[in-house]
Amino acid sequence: MKLEEQLKQRSGNQCELCKSTDALKIYEVAPQPYGDASDSIFICDTCRTQIDKKAELDAKHWSLLSETMWSEVPGIQVVSWRMLNRLKQESWASDNLDMMYLDDERLAWAKASGDHENDAAVELHKDSNGHQLHNGDTVVLTKSLDVKGSTLNAKMGTVVRNIRLVEDNTEQIEGRIEGQVIVILTKYVRRQG
């Protein structure tokens, strides 16, 4: 049986963390110690984006961890523990964390990502006005920029369409100006629309 079919059957075709039935996909819980279905969970896009820190953490969304943390599935236990740690400023999450038990092997797996040391803060790509940027957005330059290694001067007010977010740096985006792909600092752009 394929992994996706196993996870659908195991989860009852609902998110294994919040019970949603919308846009479910396989999520591999890194690092994967077992190499089987117990390393993966079936979750919704809302859970995925918050786990991956691509969206602000919504404590209300995670309230069902009080139930799902008791799962026998190692991957669900590990992600539940990590998310409860990120939410530990919430009294319910702190209480659940105190009740939750992971054996030494699973606790080491849960700590391997270092995610438990983070708070609920999420670093997102934001424009000069504090609005979140997404891949494919259109932005306007708020300052004239000289492009390093080029004679190109990107004028203030230039519209840059279909931007790409730089994965590991929330202060940078990539965009095409006059046919040339350049890196632009987010503090010099304003999201259009």
Side-chain angles (χ1 to χ4, degrees):
M1 187 181 318
K2 287 178 33 185
L3 178 61
E4 186 171 2
E5 291 170 6
Q6 285 179 302
L7 296 182
K8 279 182 181 180
Q9 187 175 19
R10 180 180 80 195
S11 68
N13 214 18
Q14 58 184 351
C15 178
E16 292 185 288
L17 298 174
C18 74
K19 305 290 186 193
S20 170
T21 57
D22 298 333
L24 300 172
K25 293 182 185 148
I26 297 171
Y27 183 83
E28 296 176 348
V29 183
Q32 296 190 295
Y34 303 113
D36 61 21
S38 61
D39 289 347
S40 300
I41 58 177
F42 208 45
I43 62 173
C44 66
D45 280 341
T46 304
C47 286
R48 176 185 307 277
T49 56
Q50 291 182 39
I51 290 169
D52 290 341
K53 299 183 181 178
K54 305 286 186 206
E56 296 288 341
L57 205 53
D58 176 10
K60 288 181 184 173
H61 176 81
W62 294 100
S63 62
L64 274 175
L65 282 179
S66 301
E67 295 174 28
T68 56
M69 70 181 213
W70 300 109
S71 172
E72 297 288 322
V73 178
I76 297 171
Q77 293 175 357
V78 166
V79 172
S80 296
W81 187 86
R82 290 175 181 171
M83 295 309 294
L84 287 169
N85 268 283
R86 283 176 54 194
L87 291 160
K88 65 184 162 204
Q89 77 283 0
E90 301 284 333
S91 61
W92 64 267
S94 180
D95 292 345
N96 284 328
L97 203 51
D98 289 342
M99 289 187 285
M100 190 170 190
Y101 171 78
L102 295 180
D103 62 33
D104 292 341
E105 181 183 337
R106 288 193 189 148
L107 187 59
W109 177 20
K111 289 182 175 180
S113 69
D115 196 34
H116 67 287
E117 296 170 355
N118 299 327
D119 58 11
V122 177
E123 291 191 24
L124 302 170
H125 288 78
K126 294 188 177 183
D127 70 3
S128 59
N129 295 326
H131 297 111
Q132 186 176 348
L133 297 171
H134 303 282
N135 283 316
D137 279 353
T138 298
V139 297
V140 178
L141 297 182
T142 59
K143 177 182 178 179
S144 293
L145 305 172
D146 290 324
V147 179
K148 289 182 182 176
S150 170
T151 57
L152 178 66
N153 183 308
K155 301 278 187 232
M156 183 172 91
T158 301
V159 175
V160 183
R161 290 177 171 69
N162 200 23
I163 64 165
R164 283 195 323 260
L165 305 179
V166 175
E167 274 299 312
D168 300 331
N169 190 338
T170 58
E171 296 178 4
Q172 296 179 345
I173 59 170
E174 292 180 346
R176 187 176 295 276
I177 297 179
E178 294 183 20
Q180 190 174 346
V181 175
I182 64 169
V183 174
I184 307 166
L185 296 178
T186 56
K187 65 183 177 181
Y188 299 133
V189 299
R190 173 179 47 83
R191 192 179 74 203
Q192 191 174 43

